[in-house]
Amino acid sequence: MLEEDETLSASFFEPGNFQARSDIPETSDVRQSLSFMTDSLNMNLNIGGNPWDPPLTMGVDIANILSDVPLPEIYSTAFALASPIVGRVSVSALNKILSVSGLPHAMIEKILNLAAPANNDSTRVNRGEFNVALALVALAQKNMDVSIETLIERKQDLPEPILTNLESINFNRNLSFSTISRPPPITALQADDPWATPSTNGEHTSSSFTAEPISEFSPPTRVIAPPVTRTLLREEDFQWFLDMDVITVKFAPEREGFLFKHVNYIVESQRLGTRVIRRYSDFWWLMECLVKKYPYRILPALPPKKIGVNGFYFTVDESFLEKRRKGLTRFLNFISRHPVLKDDELVEMFLKESTEIAVWRKNNTPDLDEEYLKKEVTPEMEQLIPDNLDERLDKVLKRLDDSIEHYRNMCNLMERIARRHEGTSADYMRYSLALNSLIEKEKGCYLDNCYNCSQVINGLEQVSSHVQKTSAIMEDMSTTMIETVVENLKGHRDLLETFERRDRLAVDSTETLNSRIAANEAKLTPLKGKEGTDPEVERLSTAIKKDQEDVQYQKQRKTFVRYCLYAELSLFHKSTALVSLLYQNFVNEQIKYSQQLCENWKQLSPKVYEMPVETNGFG
């Protein structure tokens, strides 16, 4: 893949010479590259081996066993159906693929442990490990020895795996996640709180919740929720949220037959109802244009083109590309909710123009004049600017560094929490598979017509089914946290980092101009009325007039700049409401999944209490 050597870290409130400073490595670029390196390494972390593997498999790179072997189409089809994320599929998804092979649970468990050892820290398998699992399925279906040694010996003459009803598998990946949260409809506010009851005064209050006893061994438990009072919101209270566009950025399928392949992105706008194809260089061009047009507006930084520090660049892998895709999504959503940038004609063109940006640029010359040149400074603008604007800015900037550090830490912690949920999901799935394998071995008692043993087996089957359901719930919870909570946290982190990049204001040369006007007026006064001084009088008068016009221009421009500062500070403050919405949605999701988990275990409870415990029945 060809990658241009471009990085962009936009500077907040830096007006001119964008191209010159874009060529100079900035500290923030290095920091951003290091951050991307850390994220990518975390996503690919795969520590540990299987100490129980036979000696001959020690040191074998499972992922590369079949790298030089042409494989049937069924391998690619199955991998695509498993909903890979950055080139990896979850162990639970792999188990679902293996479940349609018709093999016994014990054999599926063995294959899974060979291709993705249970003691491995990774909860996902890459394409190579996935292929090894399917190849082992093919060996098992032909009653051949299922081992890594046999696979290596027969890899040039492998049978094709048989997977029936593959397309019917539900991978629970039909949800469309957005990095921009929206408030729930007004009618749903009460329904989102499972302990809430409406009151007659129009407020939202919490009531206590009583858990029903599930057996004679489980006494009633009364859980008292703290009282909550919340005034119902009106639609105009969150109209800002409702007006937001939601933009998604997805990978476009690669074009067949191209020797040099570039990453293309499908950009969709919910508000405009458009769907266009864009490249990273198109995002870069849009950013350059916006920096030139709006030097005093909050402009987010683009994710880097490559991971590079001091001229050394690292391999761009799928995990990095996924991080970059999410960064581009946050970039566009940031712009789409900015009160000024969202209405820019280039932004609208970027989201609507069906032709390639490179073709559009050949046929069109965009207007890149600075925003100030097109707007008249009105008295209303000047009245809006608070007298203590500089004091307000200083207060914000003094605490930015600490806030940014905290948000970076919280992003990492929340992602780790989500990954732990994913790991728990994988362990539940493996437990269910092991339990099913045990059931296959334990069916049938050594005593004829033993009723109690058959009841125990029936109970174990129910346990396995509900443990499997728990795995699915935990996996959905993990995916939701990564795609919504983590991305929204990163979005606010991006906002803080953007506001931090306030390098300098426009150069104010008013004092210099006033001094020059005074000097020229001093020269002009004694020359007035003297013969032969008309050319010099005209020259000095022209210079004074021009400088006076420049002073007026500087004053007007300074007023506009301070108005922009006030407007951006207000937007920055207003965006704090997104933090509230972030945690409201997070809590609602936690309640939803907790209810699903609780309901799952409650449904299992009467079934396990039907399992016999009387020892006399096993005599």
Side-chain angles (χ1 to χ4, degrees):
M1 183 183 301
L2 286 183
E3 300 280 356
E4 293 104 336
D5 181 9
E6 300 170 339
T7 54
L8 178 58
S9 182
S11 177
F12 185 27
F13 306 132
E14 186 173 352
N17 198 20
F18 175 82
Q19 185 58 45
R21 60 185 172 85
S22 67
D23 295 333
I24 302 174
E26 297 286 346
T27 303
S28 58
D29 294 330
V30 176
R31 182 173 58 193
Q32 191 178 45
S33 293
L34 289 173
S35 176
F36 265 72
M37 288 166 59
T38 303
D39 290 341
S40 298
L41 288 172
N42 287 339
M43 293 185 71
N44 287 324
L45 194 60
N46 191 9
I47 302 171
N50 190 346
W52 294 279
D53 278 347
L56 288 177
T57 64
M58 287 297 215
V60 175
D61 186 359
I62 301 295
N64 288 321
I65 290 177
L66 301 177
S67 59
D68 59 341
V69 178
L71 298 172
E73 184 66 26
I74 186 66
Y75 285 80
S76 298
T77 302
F79 188 77
L81 286 173
S83 301
I85 299 176
V86 295
R88 291 174 175 265
V89 301
S90 68
V91 175
S92 298
L94 174 57
N95 179 54
K96 289 180 180 180
I97 295 289
L98 301 183
S99 67
V100 298
S101 64
L103 296 175
H105 291 293
M107 181 56 67
I108 293 176
E109 183 184 17
K110 180 179 180 179
I111 291 172
L112 201 60
N113 287 334
L114 286 171
N119 65 309
N120 195 319
D121 287 346
S122 177
T123 58
R124 293 182 169 270
V125 295
N126 59 29
R127 181 69 174 267
E129 294 163 338
F130 183 91
N131 290 341
V132 165
L134 292 194
L136 292 172
V137 165
L139 293 179
Q141 289 174 334
K142 293 297 183 181
N143 295 319
M144 301 171 67
D145 176 51
V146 178
S147 66
I148 298 299
E149 294 87 346
T150 303
L151 179 61
I152 293 174
E153 292 173 2
R154 300 292 305 269
K155 69 178 185 177
Q156 299 298 337
D157 185 29
L158 286 172
E160 183 172 339
I162 300 173
L163 304 173
T164 58
N165 299 321
L166 189 60
E167 290 77 9
S168 64
I169 302 176
N170 178 20
F171 290 100
N172 298 319
R173 288 293 179 267
N174 296 324
L175 296 176
S176 177
F177 298 106
S178 167
T179 60
I180 301 299
S181 303
R182 285 176 177 269
I186 296 175
T187 55
L189 286 174
Q190 292 183 351
D192 286 337
D193 186 348
W195 296 289
T197 55
S199 63
T200 56
N201 61 0
E203 294 189 337
H204 199 59
T205 59
S206 176
S207 64
S208 61
F209 168 77
T210 303
E212 297 179 358
I214 57 178
S215 76
E216 59 185 354
F217 302 104
S218 172
T221 302
R222 185 174 180 82
V223 180
I224 307 298
V228 176
T229 302
R230 181 172 62 190
T231 303
L232 288 177
L233 297 177
R234 300 165 299 172
E235 182 170 335
E236 56 267 26
D237 291 330
F238 50 84
Q239 189 62 43
W240 185 55
F241 297 110
L242 298 178
D243 290 340
M244 285 183 184
D245 194 2
V246 176
I247 297 176
T248 57
V249 180
K250 305 174 185 177
F251 291 115
E254 293 184 353
R255 298 180 182 180
E256 297 295 335
F258 280 77
L259 179 61
F260 301 109
K261 297 179 180 180
H262 299 272
V263 178
N264 290 326
Y265 300 96
I266 299 173
V267 178
E268 295 180 310
S269 167
Q270 187 179 93
R271 179 172 59 88
L272 298 176
T274 56
R275 186 174 188 268
V276 295
I277 303 293
R278 296 289 179 256
R279 288 182 52 193
Y280 179 86
S281 57
D282 300 331
F283 288 86
W284 174 276
W285 171 81
L286 177 64
M287 183 63 189
E288 283 187 314
C289 294
L290 294 178
V291 167
K292 292 176 181 177
K293 295 180 69 175
Y294 304 99
Y296 306 111
R297 299 291 182 179
I298 292 180
L299 292 171
L302 279 175
K305 181 73 172 181
K306 288 184 180 181
I307 305 176
V309 179
N310 296 330
F312 294 95
Y313 291 91
F314 300 86
T315 302
V316 177
D317 59 8
E318 290 176 320
S319 63
F320 170 80
L321 293 177
E322 174 65 10
K323 289 283 182 182
R324 193 173 72 180
R325 181 195 65 80
K326 289 181 177 179
L328 294 175
T329 303
R330 296 195 300 270
F331 169 79
L332 283 184
N333 278 289
F334 187 103
I335 290 174
S336 71
R337 72 169 182 257
H338 192 284
V340 175
L341 301 180
K342 69 183 179 70
D343 295 326
D344 183 83
E345 61 272 14
L346 287 181
V347 173
E348 185 174 353
M349 181 279 299
F350 187 88
L351 297 174
K352 294 175 65 174
E353 181 60 45
S354 59
T355 60
E356 294 182 3
I357 294 295
V359 175
W360 183 91
R361 291 174 61 185
K362 289 180 181 178
N363 301 321
N364 298 271
T365 302
D367 182 4
L368 300 181
D369 287 341
E370 190 180 313
E371 179 187 15
Y372 168 70
L373 300 177
K374 301 178 181 179
K375 290 198 174 181
E376 179 182 357
V377 178
T378 62
E380 290 76 13
M381 283 185 179
E382 197 164 359
Q383 291 174 2
L384 286 173
I385 302 172
D387 296 334
N388 62 343
L389 176 61
D390 292 329
E391 181 183 346
R392 294 184 184 183
L393 284 170
D394 289 340
K395 285 182 179 180
V396 172
L397 294 174
K398 282 180 181 179
R399 66 186 187 187
L400 266 184
D401 287 342
D402 289 339
S403 297
I404 291 170
E405 189 61 33
H406 288 314
Y407 264 93
R408 287 174 182 165
N409 187 37
M410 290 191 297
C411 288
N412 292 332
L413 290 172
M414 186 61 74
E415 191 160 7
R416 284 168 56 185
I417 293 170
R419 296 299 180 192
R420 287 195 188 100
H421 286 324
E422 187 179 50
T424 303
S425 168
D427 287 343
Y428 271 121
M429 181 276 299
R430 289 181 186 273
Y431 190 91
S432 173
L433 189 57
L435 192 53
N436 282 328
S437 300
L438 175 68
I439 291 170
E440 290 176 346
K441 296 293 183 182
E442 295 288 334
K443 277 188 176 179
C445 179
Y446 71 94
L447 294 177
D448 295 334
N449 302 320
C450 179
Y451 176 77
N452 280 3
C453 283
S454 64
Q455 288 298 98
V456 170
I457 293 297
N458 289 338
L460 292 180
E461 289 174 343
Q462 293 296 327
V463 171
S464 176
S465 174
H466 285 270
V467 168
Q468 183 69 40
K469 186 174 180 181
T470 299
S471 172
I473 295 172
M474 295 291 291
E475 186 178 14
D476 285 348
M477 180 164 60
S478 170
T479 302
T480 300
M481 288 181 66
I482 291 173
E483 297 294 334
T484 58
V485 181
V486 174
E487 283 304 297
N488 285 329
L489 282 172
K490 289 182 178 179
H492 198 71
R493 176 204 64 188
D494 293 348
L495 173 64
L496 295 174
E497 291 178 340
T498 298
F499 207 85
E500 182 191 33
R501 290 188 292 271
R502 184 172 72 99
D503 294 334
R504 61 175 180 265
L505 299 179
V507 177
D508 187 358
S509 57
T510 304
E511 291 186 8
T512 302
L513 292 172
N514 284 330
S515 298
R516 194 162 65 192
I517 291 172
N520 286 334
E521 286 179 341
K523 293 178 183 178
L524 180 61
T525 301
L527 296 178
K528 288 182 178 180
K530 291 186 177 180
E531 295 184 4
T533 60
D534 291 346
E536 182 64 12
V537 169
E538 183 178 355
R539 185 187 68 80
L540 290 172
S541 299
T542 302
I544 291 172
K545 182 179 179 182
K546 183 179 181 305
D547 286 343
Q548 288 173 340
E549 291 175 352
D550 287 344
V551 167
Q552 184 62 26
Y553 174 85
Q554 293 273 358
K555 289 181 179 179
Q556 293 287 313
R557 182 184 177 86
K558 184 177 181 179
T559 300
F560 181 76
V561 168
R562 292 184 64 78
Y563 170 78
C564 289
L565 285 170
Y566 162 72
E568 298 309 291
L569 184 61
S570 298
L571 175 63
F572 178 80
H573 192 202
K574 192 175 184 180
S575 296
T576 307
L578 290 173
V579 176
S580 302
L581 191 59
L582 183 162
Y583 284 106
Q584 288 175 6
N585 289 335
F586 171 63
V587 170
N588 286 338
E589 291 293 334
Q590 293 300 302
I591 291 173
K592 181 184 75 173
Y593 288 115
S594 296
Q595 285 180 320
Q596 291 179 7
L597 289 169
C598 180
E599 186 63 28
N600 182 46
W601 296 123
K602 285 176 66 177
Q603 290 175 3
L604 176 61
S605 177
K607 298 172 184 176
V608 296
Y609 278 99
E610 290 175 359
M611 298 172 68
V613 296
E614 301 84 359
T615 56
N616 293 337
F618 294 94

